[in-house]
């Protein structure tokens, strides 16, 4: 699946008709795959509106809370267009897959009551024509979820600074279910469940139809076992829903706890640590500025020495050309000198001798095919008065020119200002952040979850025993009927279903282990490619829990939540890349601000190893401070098209133009 284009008509910041073409089918002239569409824009210029527009087209209200979606609708019409009397805006998203090309159109229209209504339509592209496909909401949702299911969409369309939260929540039930769906395990489990249900239903129907007195007791036991199985399975769903609810509440409390820690004033301990870091930085800056003083005399002498070097080289060139010219015409000079020294009568005048010398020189050059070197006379002031070592010393002299004293002084002023502010904040800073209430609620939920998991484990054990008993009774019943030569097509079906269910379970177990092992290998390889550090030594991916664990070089498990924001972002991206490789999917990726928290080495690794191999289509939304001029030049060979979101202060709207900040 690939996106072809997205078009806005007076939608939010986009005034008039604005379009981004994602699929130009650019042919790369070199060894690079041009799979990246780069969209640049400063903060507040429309990047978030663009990525939310993709979600709105594909998933509508399902992707957002009611409050968020109502806000999107109320702000859907561009304000400048609204002041001009316009009351309608739209988004149009085109995509293609193996079944054809489609266009989704979302129109927001304000009615007479001032309410904004949403109209959703989908078209099938047939040549140059669009044919509207009439679908209900359920059919449309199923159509989209067959391509990118809603619960896996955040793995392919995301804000890179928020995707790091995946590392802290990688063991949550929603994340595990989404990962299993991406690698198709959920589909296999559903197949096994459906087959089991068909078998149970067939056996129940068979038991009801058989009235042989010799088998009544066995049939009654089989019915009782099947009914108990159904009763226990009916209890699974409420408990699963409660577990899901409690996990969501636990995640919400954890997020609230993290938000409180992030939004609260920093503690005194944090301020003291920051003060120590800044004081060390200030000490280094002062030493660097002091070293500049020692280099100052050389910097002052630099222009004078460079002028002297230039003069010496010019004199050397003159003497070299003069020597070459004299060497070329040495035989002629000897000949003409000897000839003119002879006595002739009448004697030749000086002018006649000069004329003979010049004419003879030209004739000698032509006969011997010698190109005369024109040497302009000049005064030699330095070369003849200096030794060889003195000349080489002057020519090789070069001052250390690596100092940027203005930057150093600016950095020192910034560090000193921050130190002053921190010293002022120390007295007002709290000792610790109070998360006691959230911690108590999380502990209570964890205890309740533990009880539910214990109950579920006990019930699963009972289910397993009942299933074994059901299989045994079914086998005995079948054997009894075989003895009475009463087997028919229904019994054959049950036997076949039993074998098929067993084969399916074995297949699921093996595929689960295989997928987990492949994920482990892929994540490990990708982390080695993306990370500069070597302390992420070993990766494990549990086939039972489908949870990522990373160990250091001492084989101690690393607490992923404690890693830096940039490292968590890279680990999350590594998981996503590994999932796409294991699943064999080729979804389009839309990534907002992917490089903001990374240093230059990790940025380069992402550009050259991650984005270029992630998918056939990667759409990157970036600011000018994130993908700088240097990284823009590095990423350019992989870019099939670039756009810039330019904000017009006069009309308070954004225009989409081709190009990027530095083009």
């Amino acid at each position: 699946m690939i996106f072809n284009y997205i078009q806005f008509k007076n939608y939010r910041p986009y005034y008039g008709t604005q379009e981004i073409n994602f699929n130009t089918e650019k042919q790369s002239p070199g060894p690079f795959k041009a799979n990246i569409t780069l969209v640049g824009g400063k903060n507040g210029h429309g990047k978030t509106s663009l990525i939310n527009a993709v979600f709105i087209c594909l998933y509508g209200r399902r992707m957002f809370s009611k409050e968020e979606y109502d806000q999107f609708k109320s702000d859907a019409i561009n304000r400048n267009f609204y002041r001009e009397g316009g009351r309608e805006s739209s988004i149009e998203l085109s995509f293609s897959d193996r079944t054809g090309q489609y266009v989704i159109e979302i129109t927001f229209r304000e009615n007479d009551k001032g309410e904004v209504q949403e109209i959703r339509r989908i078209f099938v592209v047939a040549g140059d024509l669009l044919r509207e496909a009439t679908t209900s909401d359920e059919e449309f949702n199923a159509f989209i979820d067959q391509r990118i299911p809603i619960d896996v969409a955040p793995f392919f369309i995301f804000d890179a600074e928020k995707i790091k939260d995946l590392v802290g929540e990688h063991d949550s039930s929603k994340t595990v279910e989404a990962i299993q769906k991406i690698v198709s395990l959920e589909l296999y489990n559903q197949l096994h469940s459906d087959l089991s249900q068909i078998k149970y239903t067939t056996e129940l129907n068979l038991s009801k139809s058989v009235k042989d007195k010799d088998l009544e007791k066995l049939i009654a036991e089989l019915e009782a076992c099947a009914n108990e199985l159904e009763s226990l399975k009916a209890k699974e769903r409420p408990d699963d829903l409660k577990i899901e609810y409690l996990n969501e509440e636990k995640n919400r409390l954890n997020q609230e706890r993290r938000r409180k820690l992030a939004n609260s004033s920093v503690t005194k301990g944090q301020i003291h640590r920051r003060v120590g870091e800044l004081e060390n930085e200030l000490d280094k800056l002062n030493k660097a500025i002091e070293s500049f003083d020692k280099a100052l005399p050389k910097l002052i002498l630099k222009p004078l020495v460079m002028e002297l070097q230039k003069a010496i080289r010019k004199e050397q060139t003159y003497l070299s050309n003069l020597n070459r010219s004299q060497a070329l015409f040495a035989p002629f000079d000897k000949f003409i000198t000897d000839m003119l020294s002879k006595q002739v009568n009448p004697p030749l005048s000086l002018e006649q001798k000069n004329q003979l010398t010049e004419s003879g020189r030209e004739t000698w050059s032509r006969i011997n095919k010698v190109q005369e070197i024109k040497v302009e006379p000049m005064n030699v002031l330095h070369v003849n008065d200096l030794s060889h070592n003195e000349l080489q010393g002057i020519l090789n002299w070069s001052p250390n020119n690596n100092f940027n004293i203005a930057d150093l002084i600016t950095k020192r002023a910034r560090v000193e200002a921050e130190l002053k502010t921190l010293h002022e904040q120390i007295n007002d800073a709290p000792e610790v952040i109070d998360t006691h209430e959230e911690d108590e609620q999380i502990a209570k939920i964890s205890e309740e979850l533990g009880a539910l998991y214990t109950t579920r484990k006990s019930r699963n054990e009972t289910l397993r025993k009942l299933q074994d008993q059901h299989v045994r009774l079914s086998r005995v019943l079948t054997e009894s009927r075989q003895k009475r030569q009463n087997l028919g097509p229904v019994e054959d079906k049950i036997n076949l279903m039993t074998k098929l269910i067993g084969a399916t379970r074995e297949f699921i177990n093996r595929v689960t282990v295989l997928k987990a092992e492949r994920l482990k290998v892929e994540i490990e390889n990708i982390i080695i490619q993306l990370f500069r550090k070597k302390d992420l030594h070993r990766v494990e991916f549990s086939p039972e829990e489908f949870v990522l664990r990373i160990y250091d070089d001492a084989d101690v498990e690393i607490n992923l939540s404690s890693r830096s924001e940039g490292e968590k972002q890279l680990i999350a991206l590594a998981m996503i890349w590994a999932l796409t490789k294991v699943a064999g999917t080729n979804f389009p990726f839309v990534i907002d601000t992917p490089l903001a928290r990374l240093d230059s080495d990790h940025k380069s690794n992402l550009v050259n190893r991650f984005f270029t191999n992630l998918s056939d289509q990667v759409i990157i939304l970036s600011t000018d401070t994130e993908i700088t001029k240097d990284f823009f030049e590095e990423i350019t060979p992989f870019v099939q098209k670039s756009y810039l979101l330019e904000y017009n202060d006069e009309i308070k709207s954004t225009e989409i133009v081709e190009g990027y900040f530095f083009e």
Side-chain angles (χ1 to χ4, degrees):
M1 176 180 178
I2 61 169
F3 293 134
N4 299 316
Y5 68 84
I6 189 166
Q7 183 185 93
F8 304 103
K9 291 183 180 178
N10 298 305
Y11 173 74
R12 291 179 69 84
Y14 301 104
Y15 178 68
T17 300
Q18 307 285 340
E19 183 175 302
I20 295 178
N21 187 355
F22 299 123
N23 184 26
T24 59
E25 300 181 350
K26 169 184 173 183
Q27 297 298 320
S28 176
F32 305 105
K33 178 175 72 174
N35 64 328
I36 295 174
T37 300
L38 183 60
V39 181
K42 296 183 179 180
N43 293 331
H45 287 194
K47 298 192 302 300
T48 302
S49 291
L50 194 156
I51 202 168
N52 282 336
V54 175
F55 279 131
I56 289 170
C57 286
L58 296 178
Y59 306 106
R61 163 72 179 82
R62 294 191 295 156
M63 183 57 72
F64 307 93
S65 67
K66 182 180 184 304
E67 293 75 17
E68 285 177 325
Y69 205 67
D70 288 344
Q71 187 64 45
F72 285 144
K73 289 203 298 184
S74 65
D75 296 336
I77 302 173
N78 178 269
R79 294 180 180 178
N80 190 51
F81 182 62
Y82 191 91
R83 285 192 296 269
E84 295 173 352
R87 294 297 181 267
E88 184 179 293
S89 67
S90 67
I91 313 167
E92 189 173 295
L93 177 66
S94 171
F95 67 91
S96 300
D97 62 15
R98 65 180 184 279
T99 65
Q101 183 177 343
Y102 305 90
V103 175
I104 299 172
E105 182 188 79
I106 310 295
T107 301
F108 298 96
R109 184 176 298 149
E110 185 182 278
N111 61 21
D112 295 336
K113 297 179 181 179
E115 301 169 337
V116 177
Q117 298 176 325
E118 174 191 341
I119 303 167
R120 178 183 298 268
R121 298 195 297 173
I122 182 168
F123 300 88
V124 179
V125 179
D128 296 330
L129 301 176
L130 295 180
R131 176 174 55 83
E132 183 172 359
T134 304
T135 59
S136 64
D137 289 344
E138 292 75 18
E139 290 172 331
F140 178 85
N141 293 340
F143 173 81
I144 294 298
D145 287 348
Q146 286 174 359
R147 286 149 177 84
I148 305 182
I150 186 171
D151 46 357
V152 305
F155 287 79
F156 301 95
I157 306 170
F158 56 86
D159 181 336
E161 287 198 79
K162 295 179 181 177
I163 198 67
K164 62 183 173 53
D165 294 338
L166 174 64
V167 173
E169 299 168 4
H170 67 287
D171 55 352
S172 71
S173 59
K174 280 191 174 181
T175 302
V176 171
E177 288 172 8
I179 291 174
Q180 290 183 340
K181 182 171 286 190
I182 292 173
V183 297
S184 302
L185 287 179
E186 184 196 55
L187 184 64
Y188 302 147
N189 286 320
Q190 185 62 47
L191 172 63
H192 182 269
S193 177
D194 292 342
L195 290 173
S196 299
Q197 185 61 44
I198 293 171
K199 180 174 177 286
Y200 290 148
T201 302
T202 304
E203 288 172 338
L204 285 172
N205 292 334
L206 178 62
S207 66
K208 292 176 183 178
S209 64
V210 175
K211 298 299 179 183
D212 193 323
K213 292 181 179 180
D214 295 336
L215 302 176
E216 282 184 358
K217 184 179 179 180
L218 188 60
I219 292 170
E221 290 180 7
L222 187 62
E223 282 185 341
C225 183
N227 289 333
E228 192 171 354
L229 275 170
E230 289 298 317
S231 176
L232 281 175
K233 289 178 73 66
K235 295 178 181 178
E236 282 185 318
R237 184 58 179 165
D239 281 0
D240 288 344
L241 289 174
K242 190 170 184 180
I243 288 172
E244 183 178 352
Y245 167 75
L246 289 173
N247 275 317
E248 289 178 354
E249 184 65 13
K250 185 178 178 181
N251 287 335
R252 185 190 67 78
L253 288 168
N254 276 319
Q255 290 173 359
E256 176 63 21
R257 184 178 183 276
R258 289 195 293 269
R259 184 195 64 76
K260 185 180 288 187
L261 290 172
N263 294 339
S264 299
S265 301
V266 292
T267 63
K268 287 183 179 179
Q270 291 171 314
I271 292 178
H272 282 300
R273 284 195 296 273
R274 180 58 180 162
V275 166
E277 293 171 357
L278 291 173
E279 286 176 347
N280 288 335
E281 185 177 353
L282 184 61
D283 183 59
K284 293 178 181 178
L285 288 170
N286 286 330
K287 289 180 180 178
I289 292 172
E290 289 175 4
S291 66
F292 176 81
D293 295 340
K294 299 177 182 178
L296 189 58
K298 286 188 175 183
L299 293 176
I300 294 173
L301 289 173
K302 178 182 176 181
L304 299 175
V305 174
M306 291 181 68
E307 191 64 31
L308 178 60
Q309 289 173 336
K310 182 178 178 181
I312 289 174
R313 290 190 181 95
K314 189 174 181 180
E315 290 180 6
Q316 287 178 328
T317 300
Y318 164 74
L319 291 175
S320 174
N321 290 338
L322 184 63
N323 290 335
R324 287 173 57 202
S325 178
Q326 290 175 348
L328 288 172
F329 287 91
F332 171 77
D333 290 339
K334 183 176 184 306
F335 163 77
I336 198 68
T337 300
D338 290 344
M339 185 185 75
L340 293 178
S341 64
K342 303 298 183 181
Q343 295 293 329
V344 295
N345 191 18
L348 297 173
S349 66
L350 180 60
E351 182 180 354
Q352 290 173 326
K353 290 181 178 180
N354 288 337
Q355 291 177 354
L356 284 172
T357 300
E358 289 299 320
S359 299
R361 192 180 190 91
E362 292 177 1
T363 303
W364 191 86
S365 297
R366 187 175 64 256
I367 294 172
N368 292 280
K369 298 180 180 179
V370 174
Q371 181 67 39
E372 185 174 2
I373 299 173
K374 300 294 183 180
V375 182
E376 296 293 334
M378 68 173 292
N379 293 326
V380 179
L381 301 177
H382 306 96
V383 174
N384 294 333
D385 296 330
L386 297 173
S387 68
H388 176 75
N389 289 337
E390 289 172 336
L391 284 172
Q392 292 304 312
I394 293 172
L395 292 174
N396 294 332
W397 184 88
S398 176
N400 185 353
N401 201 23
N402 294 329
F403 287 97
N404 191 332
I405 190 63
D407 285 350
L408 292 174
I409 293 172
T410 300
K411 288 181 181 178
R412 182 171 67 178
R414 176 183 57 76
V415 171
E416 289 174 342
E418 187 175 350
L419 274 171
K420 181 180 177 182
T421 302
L422 289 174
H423 283 303
E424 292 172 353
Q425 293 176 352
I426 285 179
N427 292 332
D428 297 329
E431 295 293 339
V432 294
I433 304 303
D434 184 14
T435 58
H436 180 70
E437 183 179 346
E438 287 81 6
D439 292 340
E440 282 187 346
Q441 293 183 54
I442 290 171
K444 184 178 179 181
I445 289 175
S446 297
E447 183 178 352
E448 193 171 351
L449 280 170
L452 285 168
Y453 285 134
T454 301
T455 300
R456 186 166 70 177
K457 183 178 180 181
S458 175
R459 183 171 56 246
N460 287 341
E461 182 65 22
T462 304
L463 275 169
R464 186 187 62 77
K465 291 179 180 178
L466 284 170
Q467 287 169 344
D468 291 344
Q469 182 183 356
H470 193 277
V471 170
R472 181 182 61 79
L473 289 171
S474 297
R475 185 174 62 251
V476 172
L477 180 62
T478 301
E479 289 173 353
S480 299
R481 287 172 178 153
Q482 285 176 337
K483 289 177 182 178
R484 300 170 66 88
Q485 297 183 346
N486 195 30
L487 285 176
V490 178
E491 285 91 353
D492 292 338
K493 179 180 179 181
I494 291 174
N495 287 334
L496 180 61
M497 293 293 292
T498 301
K499 293 178 182 178
L500 186 57
I501 289 170
T504 303
R505 173 46 58 194
E506 182 178 359
F507 172 78
I508 290 172
N509 292 337
R510 293 188 180 185
V511 167
T512 301
V513 173
L514 177 63
K515 295 283 188 182
E517 182 60 26
R518 282 201 61 197
L519 279 171
K520 172 226 185 275
V521 172
E522 293 295 345
I523 293 174
E524 201 168 59
N525 290 338
I526 292 166
I527 283 178
I528 291 172
Q529 292 182 53
L530 295 185
F531 270 80
R532 184 179 64 250
K533 292 183 177 180
K534 300 302 181 185
D535 58 344
L536 305 180
H537 180 66
R538 182 171 64 87
V539 171
E540 289 294 338
F541 203 92
S542 167
E544 294 80 20
E545 301 170 286
F546 251 65
V547 172
L548 172 69
R549 291 185 174 88
I550 301 179
Y551 298 84
D552 61 20
D553 53 2
D555 215 39
V556 176
E557 184 177 354
I558 294 170
N559 181 3
L560 298 182
S561 299
S562 67
R563 308 304 289 188
S564 70
E565 300 301 299
E567 287 178 329
K568 286 194 286 187
Q569 181 177 323
L570 283 176
I571 292 171
L573 293 174
M575 289 177 65
I576 290 171
W577 189 7
L579 284 170
T580 59
K581 295 180 75 173
V582 172
T585 58
N586 192 23
F587 295 145
F589 279 75
V590 183
I591 309 175
D592 190 8
T593 58
L595 306 178
R597 292 184 176 271
L598 305 178
D599 57 29
S600 59
D601 289 342
H602 288 139
K603 285 182 180 180
S604 183
N605 285 341
L606 276 185
V607 168
N608 291 295
R609 298 177 180 175
F610 184 79
F611 296 135
T612 55
N613 296 296
L614 185 58
S615 170
D616 286 344
Q617 186 177 64
V618 180
I619 299 162
I620 299 175
L621 312 180
S622 170
T623 64
D624 58 336
T625 58
E626 183 187 7
I627 295 184
T628 59
K629 186 174 183 180
D630 291 340
F631 276 97
F632 175 71
E633 293 175 355
E634 190 169 351
I635 203 175
T636 295
F638 312 104
V639 175
Q640 63 92 13
K641 197 77 171 178
S642 60
Y643 293 91
L644 189 61
L645 307 181
E646 291 187 341
Y647 187 75
N648 188 324
D649 274 322
E650 293 183 4
I651 61 175
K652 307 299 182 186
S653 298
T654 295
E655 181 183 6
I656 301 173
V657 298
E658 291 191 15
Y660 195 67
F661 291 104
F662 313 109
E663 287 189 314

